[in-house]
């Protein structure tokens, strides 16, 4: 894996976070808080331009491409503070509610066109699998991390299990057998990760990016050091569908 120099795509000073790619890999969706309002923006990589997708009295977070690639799902903080899952088309417009009764949603990921993995806020926080057709939810873990992803080429969901303050492990939940297995420990205090289309796991620590390939690597190995570019504190990571671009959030 070889990475070039990072290019800054946000000019707004403040919260610019939660990146994800569109299906064609040509745009990056992200959340930006401006004037105390969180909305979803879209950055066109080729043109170097940004447009605002949502512009509502409510706040929208975690833009996630839905199956089919025509709409995005978001965690919406409603007027009364309720956090539920809504959807917008990529052109914006009027939103539609996805799950009426399940709340408060913190984070989410689509497993197929009717199945969601949800981080549900509570005491404790829980990881749940939900069928959007019936609204039926099944809790599969407590104290998960915020990043939920489907493992490439497998019918499995990955998540960080926060066993204690000092022990966080990325685990795989088999959607067929409903069994959970351990993959690899995270760096201390790090819960953000991403998969490449080839099935390589990425994680950032300070200014460095690390990789781990299941079945081949014994542990994390460094693939890039962005300290010379002036970056620190890498958190969120997103990989394009073709695996040729990576979006990272850093200071």
């Amino acid at each position: 894996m070889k990475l070039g120099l990072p290019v800054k795509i946000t000019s707004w000073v403040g919260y610019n976070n939660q990146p994800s790619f569109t299906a064609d890999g040509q745009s990056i969706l992200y959340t930006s808080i401006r004037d105390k309002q969180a909305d979803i923006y879209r950055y066109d990589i080729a043109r170097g331009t940004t447009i605002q997708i949502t512009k509502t009295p409510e706040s929208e977070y975690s833009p996630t491409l839905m199956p089919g690639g025509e709409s995005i799902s978001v965690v919406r903080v409603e007027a009364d503070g309720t956090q539920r899952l809504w959807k917008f088309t990529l052109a914006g417009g009027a939103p539609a509610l996805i799950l009426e009764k399940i709340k408060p949603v913190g984070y989410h990921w689509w497993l197929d066109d009717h199945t969601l993995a949800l981080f549900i806020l509570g005491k404790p926080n829980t990881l749940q699998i939900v069928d959007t057709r019936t609204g039926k939810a099944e809790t599969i873990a407590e104290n998960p991390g915020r990043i939920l992803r489907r493992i490439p080429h497998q019918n499995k969901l990955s998540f960080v299990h926060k066993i204690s303050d000092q022990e966080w492990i990325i685990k795989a939940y088999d959607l067929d057998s409903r069994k959970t297995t351990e993959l690899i420990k995270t760096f201390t205090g790090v819960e953000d990760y991403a998969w490449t289309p080839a099935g390589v796991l990425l994680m950032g620590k300070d200014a460095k990016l690390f990789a781990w390939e299941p079945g081949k690597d014994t542990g994390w190995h460094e693939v890039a050091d962005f300290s010379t570019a002036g970056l620190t504190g890498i958190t969120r990571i997103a990989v394009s569908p073709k695996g040729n671009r990576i979006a990272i959030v850093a200071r």
Side-chain angles (χ1 to χ4, degrees):
M1 185 180 297
K2 295 181 180 179
L3 289 93
L5 293 174
V7 176
K8 185 178 180 181
I9 70 169
T10 55
S11 58
W12 180 262
V13 178
Y15 186 92
N16 303 287
N17 213 326
Q18 303 176 330
S20 62
F21 283 87
T22 53
D24 60 7
Q26 299 303 309
S27 297
I28 297 171
L29 306 167
Y30 66 96
T31 304
S32 185
I33 298 179
R34 308 184 183 189
D35 299 323
K36 299 181 181 180
Q37 176 69 36
D39 285 299
I40 307 305
Y41 291 77
R42 177 176 179 171
Y43 175 79
D44 186 298
I45 297 172
R47 294 183 175 88
T49 56
T50 300
I51 61 171
Q52 185 173 350
I53 294 180
T54 67
K55 191 174 183 180
T56 70
E58 296 78 18
S59 286
E60 288 85 32
Y61 294 89
S62 301
T64 303
L65 198 67
M66 295 179 64
E70 299 298 325
S71 299
I72 58 170
S73 50
V74 300
V75 174
R76 196 179 199 202
V77 182
E78 298 167 28
D80 62 356
T82 300
Q83 292 184 205
R84 293 188 294 181
L85 209 61
W86 291 70
K87 67 177 180 179
F88 291 81
T89 67
L90 282 172
L97 185 60
I98 297 175
L99 293 169
E100 179 182 359
K101 297 181 179 180
I102 297 179
K103 55 186 178 181
V105 178
Y107 305 93
H108 71 290
W109 193 258
W110 290 92
L111 300 174
D112 57 37
D113 61 3
H114 63 271
T115 310
L116 279 160
L118 297 179
F119 177 113
I120 301 297
L121 296 161
K123 295 182 179 180
N125 299 327
T126 56
L127 172 56
Q128 301 184 19
I129 303 294
V130 180
D131 189 323
T132 60
R133 300 169 299 183
T134 63
K136 183 180 179 181
E138 177 185 1
T139 299
I140 62 172
E142 294 183 348
N143 298 314
R146 61 193 177 192
I147 304 299
L148 313 173
R149 295 291 184 267
R150 185 171 185 133
I151 301 176
H153 315 299
Q154 300 182 47
N155 195 29
K156 295 179 180 179
L157 165 72
S158 63
F159 65 98
V160 172
H161 190 188
K162 297 182 178 181
I163 298 171
S164 68
D165 290 342
Q166 300 299 317
E167 187 177 15
W168 294 2
I169 301 175
I170 299 178
K171 294 186 175 182
Y173 176 77
D174 191 306
L175 295 163
D176 294 320
S177 69
R178 297 187 176 182
K179 294 182 178 179
T180 301
T181 55
E182 294 185 2
L183 295 178
I184 189 171
K185 289 185 178 181
T186 73
F187 294 103
T188 302
V190 178
E191 61 180 312
D192 299 307
Y193 68 88
W195 291 96
T196 71
V200 177
L201 200 58
L202 301 177
M203 177 168 279
K205 176 64 174 176
D206 300 324
K208 296 181 179 181
L209 192 67
F210 296 83
W212 176 72
E213 186 171 359
K216 292 186 178 181
D217 297 334
T218 56
W220 296 104
H221 65 272
E222 182 182 325
V223 292
D225 185 346
F226 295 118
S227 59
T228 55
L231 300 187
T232 61
I234 294 174
T235 52
R236 309 296 181 96
I237 307 169
V239 183
S240 65
K242 292 183 179 180
N244 60 336
R245 290 190 175 98
I246 295 175
I248 60 174
V249 176
R251 296 190 296 272

